[in-house]
Amino acid sequence: MVTVGIWNEHGVMDEEFLFWDNQIFAQQIGLAWPSVERSTPSGTRLSRSLRSGKRIGQRGEGCRNVPSSLLATRTFLEPPVPTHYLTKDIGAVTYTPAMSDHTPTPLAVTAVDAIEHVSGTYPGQRRVHARGLCFDATFTPSGEAASLTSAAHLGSGPTPVVVRFSNSNTNPTVPDGIRAGRGLAARFFLPDDTTTDLVSVNIPVFFAATPEQFLELLDALEKDPGTGAPSPEKVKAYAAAHPSAAAGLQEAARMPIPVSYGTARYWAIHAFIWVDPDGGRHPVRYHWEPDTGPQELSEQEAGVKDPEYLAEELLRRLADGPVGFSLRVQLGKDGDPTDDPTKAWPADRPEIVAGHLRITAPVTDQGHWAAQVYDPTRITPGIELSDDPVLAFRSQAYAVSYGRRTEGN
Ligand code: HEM
């Protein structure tokens, strides 16, 4: 796949085109001129076709990508007449103004260095959540959120989504049958050709209240050269120094081993702020509830599973029909902390079901999707970031990881 940017004399990209493969690219820059039937996105407002190729970006923006389920046949007739070419797939590191500042700060570089120091480096891979698989899905809102947020995908729909399920490990070959983090990252393709992400894991609270605490934890997790394992004493000392982190550490220690990626609960952890059509602001926290209810394996059952059973199981399950999750949203009250991902809100806070996710099939272009960055600060009008410092920091750390993995490091 190739993206081509057309740059003006001021150094600003005016147009950007997506070509699904090099053959089409060659044809469309003039090395061949046949009228060819190609699969291109259509049928949603995502796709605004120019004379050829697919216009996927606007001035100052970058790549937009489209789920393969939306692919339909279109005829290309003419080559574009661009002024300059940039023949490099730039993935998804393009950020809207609404996003947190993703410029890697020294702290973000230090954090990714520390992750590598503790967990190792696997060239070309995400620094965590390295193993994953992407799926086409559709999100249908329930209508319950419409008076609380003007976000397009939560008001009307359905909205196309690409979901990435992942294991949290840095090493992509760690077998599935262990207690470990699992991720569900979702990218929603909105009617105005923008996207928004929702990134979630299988624990409800985090184990560090700030980026600095996260670094302290990584320090505590450094392997003792004598035992080859992290020192329990250091982790205990971390928990003692940061009592609010204890809940997240306990959740991490008892993470379920899921029967399926499709039978786990996933929490987005941070608070976000919904902004309603009248400008009212509502703190919220999201989680995905599987239609099956949570189902987990015992350690004994998991021990005899294939090392990659989670992907295989989900593909088999999807052959029998879609896999679904409800998007449940907890509504905070005044005084509920929005700046601390280690602290749950009181259990009696009301919850609504904002909509339903229906996962249908693996995307056809796993390589393309593996390159994307799912960024929790990629929000959309109607949703704002909370004052949680970890939330803003993640965007920077993800950009560092993206930079390294796409440079082959
Ligand atoms: C200081 C806090 C954190 C740091 C430094 C951090 C770091 C990272 C990095 C470097 C990546 C790889 C990004 C990429 O190359 O695309 C990543 C991915 C991920 N993180 Fe975090 N993370 C943090 C907190 C969290 C939290 C609180 C959650 C819970 C929602 C989370 C969930 C995920 C998931 C699900 C992925 C995989 C996304 C995908 O499938 O592309 N992370 N994280």
Side-chain angles (χ1 to χ4, degrees), residues 111-112 115 125-129 164-166 182-185 199-201 206 210-211 214 267-270 341 372-374 390 393-394 397-399 401-402 405:
V112 175
I115 291 172
Q125 304 285 344
R126 284 168 171 71
R127 269 31 191 177
V128 290
H129 290 267
R164 181 173 185 266
F165 286 108
S166 62
R182 321 282 173 196
L184 187 170
V199 185
S200 52
V201 283
F206 200 44
T210 62
F214 182 72
W267 287 265
I269 294 190
H270 310 282
Q372 305 303 303
V373 179
Y374 286 86
V390 176
F393 180 72
R394 285 174 62 192
Y398 290 26
S401 173
Y402 177 84
R405 64 182 164 91

Side-chain angles (χ1 to χ4, degrees), residues 7 34 44 58 66 73 115 213 217 240 267 281 297 318 377:
W7 300 74
T44 76
Q58 293 178 348
V66 189
T73 300
I115 291 172
Q213 275 185 28
L217 179 60
W267 287 265
R281 295 161 59 79
L297 299 174
L318 286 171
T377 70

Side-chain angles (χ1 to χ4, degrees), residues 81-396:
V81 193
T83 48
H84 305 282
Y85 290 110
L86 171 69
T87 54
K88 185 176 187 319
D89 183 351
I90 58 169
V93 168
T94 53
Y95 294 83
T96 66
M99 291 175 68
S100 166
D101 180 6
H102 66 278
T103 310
T105 58
L107 195 63
V109 174
T110 304
V112 175
D113 285 346
I115 291 172
E116 291 181 356
H117 183 65
V118 168
S119 306
T121 305
Y122 297 83
Q125 304 285 344
R126 284 168 171 71
R127 269 31 191 177
V128 290
H129 290 267
R131 174 127 60 92
L133 206 61
C134 294
F135 296 85
D136 287 323
T138 303
F139 179 77
T140 306
S142 65
E144 286 185 51
S147 61
L148 297 168
T149 171
S150 53
H153 59 305
L154 298 171
S156 61
T159 299
V161 176
V162 171
V163 164
R164 181 173 185 266
F165 286 108
S166 62
N167 292 353
S168 61
N169 313 85
T170 296
N171 177 347
T173 66
V174 169
D176 286 342
I178 59 163
R179 293 191 194 284
R182 321 282 173 196
L184 187 170
R187 175 159 303 164
F188 300 81
F189 292 84
L190 304 177
D192 67 354
D193 287 8
T194 62
T195 57
T196 184
D197 291 349
L198 183 56
V199 185
S200 52
V201 283
N202 58 342
I203 53 171
V205 284
F206 200 44
F207 29 71
T210 62
E212 291 77 9
Q213 275 185 28
F214 182 72
L215 276 168
E216 278 182 54
L217 179 60
L218 285 172
D219 197 37
L221 290 174
E222 189 171 3
K223 291 190 182 80
D224 183 310
T227 63
S231 150
E233 297 311 316
K234 281 191 175 180
V235 178
K236 273 189 209 154
Y238 170 82
H242 305 293
S244 77
L249 290 170
Q250 278 164 12
E251 293 285 353
R254 61 171 182 238
M255 277 167 174
I257 310 174
V259 166
S260 166
Y261 280 131
T263 66
R265 284 188 175 126
Y266 300 90
W267 287 265
I269 294 190
H270 310 282
F272 289 82
I273 310 296
W274 276 1
V275 183
D276 68 37
D278 298 324
R281 295 161 59 79
H282 313 275
V284 296
R285 281 175 130 164
Y286 306 91
H287 94 261
W288 294 107
E289 184 72 23
D291 287 358
T292 56
Q295 295 175 356
E296 60 181 289
L297 299 174
S298 67
E299 281 177 10
Q300 207 176 16
E301 289 167 325
V304 296
K305 286 280 185 189
D306 186 274
E308 298 198 18
Y309 80 89
L310 283 171
E312 291 158 9
E313 193 281 344
L314 187 52
L315 295 173
R316 274 199 310 276
R317 189 177 285 255
L318 286 171
D320 288 339
V323 166
F325 289 85
S326 295
L327 181 59
R328 301 191 69 93
V329 181
Q330 194 183 22
L331 307 177
K333 286 201 173 149
D334 281 352
D336 288 344
T338 54
D339 63 347
D340 189 342
T342 63
K343 290 195 180 123
W345 289 343
D348 65 357
R349 294 294 181 259
E351 239 182 38
I352 61 165
V353 176
H356 186 258
L357 184 70
R358 190 170 177 269
I359 299 168
T360 48
V363 297
T364 50
D365 190 352
Q366 292 291 339
H368 167 74
W369 283 101
Q372 305 303 303
V373 179
Y374 286 86
D375 185 324
T377 70
R378 184 180 283 115
I379 48 176
T380 188
I383 303 175
E384 291 180 359
L385 302 180
S386 65
D387 48 354
D388 182 335
V390 176
L391 175 57
F393 180 72
R394 285 174 62 192
S395 187
Q396 301 162 19

